[in-house]
Amino acid sequence: MALLVDYSSSDSDAAASDTEPKAKKRRLQASLPPTTTTTTQNRNRNTAGHTTNSATSPPPPPPPPKGSSSALPPLPSAFHDLYASTVRVSTRDDPALHQGRKRQNPHVVGHWPSHLYTEWHPATTTTTTATGASSPSEYETLTRLLSELSSAAAASASLSVAPDFLKTFLTSDLGAPLPLHISLSRPLSLTTGNKDDFLDAVRAALTRGAGVPAFLLRPTGLEWHRTAESARSFLVLRVESVALDAASEKSTGEKKKNRELTQLLRRCNAVAQSFGQPALYAFASSAGGDDDHRKGQTGEADTGNGSSKATLMDVGDAFHVSVAWSFEPPTPELIKITRQVFETGNEPYRDRVQDMRIGVDGIKAKIGNVVTHIALPEAGTKDLFGL
């Protein structure tokens, strides 16, 4: 009776390769792809006790083409929250480590610098117009705008500014695109004992009742804004809601530029003040808080107590996106050059900027170096009570 011998797979291949006629083996190897042939030969040599030459190993498979089902998906938006803070390099406030900037609220052990805002990531991909022409991305448009403004200001005989007087918020020190933001609070300072309660209160304030559904904004203009607290000038894009309050416009004849942002600000301010923190954009017509004023066209500094000569503005006009900053004051000449570059520069910046859309689907609460995303309900949704 024949005995059954249990061979391993490699032994079986070796036995088969030894018993197959050489001509048949050559025909079989010729019909295989190069990679498969090389692999088979290497496996046979290993079976025979030889060492495989790494130079004949099969090359790694090529990466999947873009757009294929095996391509990696884009990073979720919450991924950016994990790296929203820079690495702390000093245990004390040192302006030399931050381009000469000073904290509005000096660091105190046991206190957590905090901020409420909504975030905007300018698109980095080009778009195609109806005529088939390609248009630069939002990020590229804003970058070119700042570059042309810096060059025009440095070349002006009326200004004495260095070519790098303008510091961008668009790009990190390593050249990576950065998100921009619209503030919904002043810089806050929370204690270890109340920071968790503050976050719970903000979440409850933004989600209770019908809440404020997700909405769209658009930039309207480029202006300079000077703050006395930080002794810096900010180059900002004013924003307004895409969906204007039609009912209010019909009844009063005025458009409410930022009805959604104003509602969110009111709720954020209420929470901040309940924790003994200052309110943002609390005007003289509001209850409590400091006055704030519009300074974009005059370049006047904000005194914070209502003594500035600038005209009081409606809270809906105050919201903005900071795109750059400088220690230079916004002189009339700098304001003039900024307007010229924005409206009649080498590229149609004004049209491109006003065509941008800023989606607001949630609020960021940054406490220390931890960022929490509080989502807004989708437009058209109702709460439990149908409101």
Side-chain angles (χ1 to χ4, degrees), residues 310-330:
T311 304
L312 284 173
M313 62 186 294
D314 182 77
V315 67
D317 295 320
F319 298 103
H320 59 269
V321 178
S322 296
V323 295
W325 66 273
S326 175
F327 285 123
E328 295 292 331

Side-chain angles (χ1 to χ4, degrees), residues 210-284:
V212 178
F215 57 96
L216 284 176
L217 300 170
R218 73 180 187 98
T220 59
L222 186 69
E223 298 178 358
W224 281 98
H225 175 80
R226 182 77 169 177
T227 61
E229 296 91 344
S230 63
R232 288 192 289 166
S233 302
F234 293 88
L235 187 64
V236 305
L237 291 172
R238 297 289 176 184
V239 296
E240 71 176 17
S241 175
V242 172
L244 298 175
D245 192 343
S248 174
E249 181 181 2
K250 183 177 180 180
S251 60
T252 64
E254 297 181 355
K255 297 179 180 179
K256 289 187 176 180
K257 288 186 177 181
N258 288 298
R259 181 172 54 89
E260 300 95 342
L261 283 176
T262 301
Q263 292 178 8
L264 292 174
L265 176 67
R266 185 180 299 114
R267 299 187 182 199
C268 291
N269 273 344
V271 175
Q273 290 178 311
S274 69
F275 280 79
Q277 299 294 316
L280 177 66
Y281 303 144
F283 296 92

Side-chain angles (χ1 to χ4, degrees), residues 41 49 80 110 121 146 238 250 278 289:
Q41 292 174 346
H80 301 281
H121 290 262
L146 296 185
R238 297 289 176 184
K250 183 177 180 180

